[in-house]
Amino acid sequence: MTRVQRLKGSVQDYAWGKPSSSNPLVKRIYDSQCEASSLPPSNLEKYAEIWLGTHPNGPSTLIDSNTTLKSYLTPSNDLPYLLKVLSISKVLSIQSHPDSALAAQLHASNPSVYKTPCHKPEMAIALTPFSAMLGFRTLSSLYSNLQLYPEIKDIVGSKSWKDLKECYENTAGMDFDTRTIVSVSNFFTNYMSNYDKDSLGSSVCSKIISRINSKIDKTSLDDLLLKFHSQFPEDCGVLSPIFLNVLNLKPGESLYVPPNTPHAYISGEIIECMARSDNVIRCGLTGKFKDVEVLCGSLDYEGFEPRRERGVEGEGERIYRPAVQDFEVRTSTLTSDHTFPSVPSPVIFLCLEGSCKVVWDGGEVGVKFGESLFIEEGTIIEVKVEKEVGFVRAMRNVGGG
């Protein structure tokens, strides 16, 4: 049994993916893996994600034995994580992922939609400039935005509008106390629940978009509302950046998505790692099933300013380690040979730049851009650089997250 094996992932062609004509990263990676498998290049219209792991909806294949990684592993050492690369052209749905307790409840009550009883924390690392929404804005930011788009009062109602205004005035926008959390919860729930009643929301959305179009000097928030409206006209999610934080990340910066936190990826190309689960609760910017009642009843409404993390510098690597046990990601860029000690986790290795040889006790394999490896737990590897090489390694959180 070899301790390092070549791996081919599965590609997803969701509607929000980048078109083939733009030669997106997902296409280039997947075609490199097809070439390594002696298969012709792919021919899809859209390239959204490539999955590396054992998820049943996109299982990876061990190239040299032509068997799935899932069938190779025993249930006791199956991967708890899924590594992905995303090429994002169009905003993804506004969604949240349930915590473990809620996931179990949803799976028991509606297994056709919530297919596993597991949580789904996730982390994104920018490979190009990357934009996303994550979590509710602080009270001062939310209140300030609402003054710019007062038409929203017609959707949420006078009482919710007044309650939020009083919270802001009582705390000067600085404190997210219990009353404020309840007020924001009621405000957002009323917005989502009332939006589609008698075309109320779409009418308000149209008024706001019309007013923005008439402005000479548009803000970045105006531009984002126009972008969402062009992609999902009059959808309830068009106005979501008014409520949710908008982040613009540089390559190498990351964000972590906690359970029960609303979020949506907007544009860019990223590495994503997550717990191996299907549980997604959606509410907007999608043609898929929207579970508004469950989402509004489960969100964390405490506003915050999201942190952009750059990982922790290690020897020959940068470590991105969220506060969950399921996964961590390590990135490396090498100009000279380097030996990596063994880790107590099976590892998925993905080359994103250059070429190298990966050497272990018992063998070696050449790796170039786009190619991937599965590495057994407890394996020491030496990376011998042929051309400046960049790669990522995904594994269980071995730092006690």
Side-chain angles (χ1 to χ4, degrees), residues 157-355:
S158 298
K159 185 178 186 306
S160 283
W161 189 272
K162 179 182 177 183
D163 285 349
L164 195 67
K165 180 175 183 290
E166 289 179 354
C167 286
Y168 175 80
E169 292 172 343
N170 290 342
T171 65
M174 299 299 293
D175 193 8
F176 237 88
D177 57 10
T178 301
R179 183 188 172 190
T180 299
I181 293 172
V182 172
S183 179
V184 173
S185 172
N186 291 336
F187 193 98
F188 187 73
T189 300
N190 285 343
Y191 172 84
M192 292 302 306
S193 301
N194 295 337
Y195 192 92
D196 290 328
K197 290 181 179 178
D198 301 321
S199 300
L200 175 61
S202 59
S203 175
V204 168
C205 183
S206 293
K207 290 178 183 177
I208 291 175
I209 295 301
S210 177
R211 180 165 61 81
I212 292 173
N213 279 323
S214 69
K215 293 170 65 175
I216 297 176
D217 297 320
K218 297 179 178 63
T219 66
S220 59
L221 184 53
D222 288 336
D223 289 336
L224 194 54
L225 300 187
L226 291 176
K227 178 177 182 175
F228 286 1
H229 186 261
S230 71
Q231 296 177 355
F232 292 91
E234 298 180 0
D235 184 271
C236 64
V238 168
L239 305 179
S240 58
I242 297 171
F243 309 107
L244 305 181
N245 295 298
V246 178
L247 294 84
N248 297 300
L249 276 65
K250 300 174 182 178
E253 293 183 328
S254 71
L255 61 83
Y256 170 65
V257 181
N260 305 325
T261 302
H263 62 282
Y265 297 161
I266 299 171
S267 63
E269 293 184 308
I270 63 172
I271 287 287
E272 186 181 47
C273 200
M274 63 182 64
R276 193 188 69 244
S277 170
D278 274 329
N279 287 323
V280 179
I281 312 172
R282 298 179 178 88
C283 74
L285 301 177
T286 181
K288 295 181 179 180
F289 172 66
K290 301 176 184 178
D291 204 339
V292 173
E293 182 179 355
V294 168
L295 182 126
C296 290
S298 62
L299 292 181
D300 182 349
Y301 288 96
E302 185 166 0
F304 66 97
E305 295 182 0
R307 296 174 59 182
R308 299 168 178 83
E309 303 284 358
R310 292 198 68 91
V312 176
E313 192 71 33
E315 188 175 346
E317 62 190 3
R318 184 167 290 276
I319 303 171
Y320 298 84
R321 181 176 288 153
V324 292
Q325 296 180 351
D326 306 81
F327 60 85
E328 66 180 64
V329 174
R330 304 185 182 191
T331 65
S332 298
T333 301
L334 302 178
T335 56
S336 59
D337 300 352
H338 188 82
T339 298
F340 293 90
S342 65
V343 293
S345 169
V347 173
I348 288 181
F349 177 112
L350 174 64
C351 182
L352 293 173
E353 178 185 6
S355 61

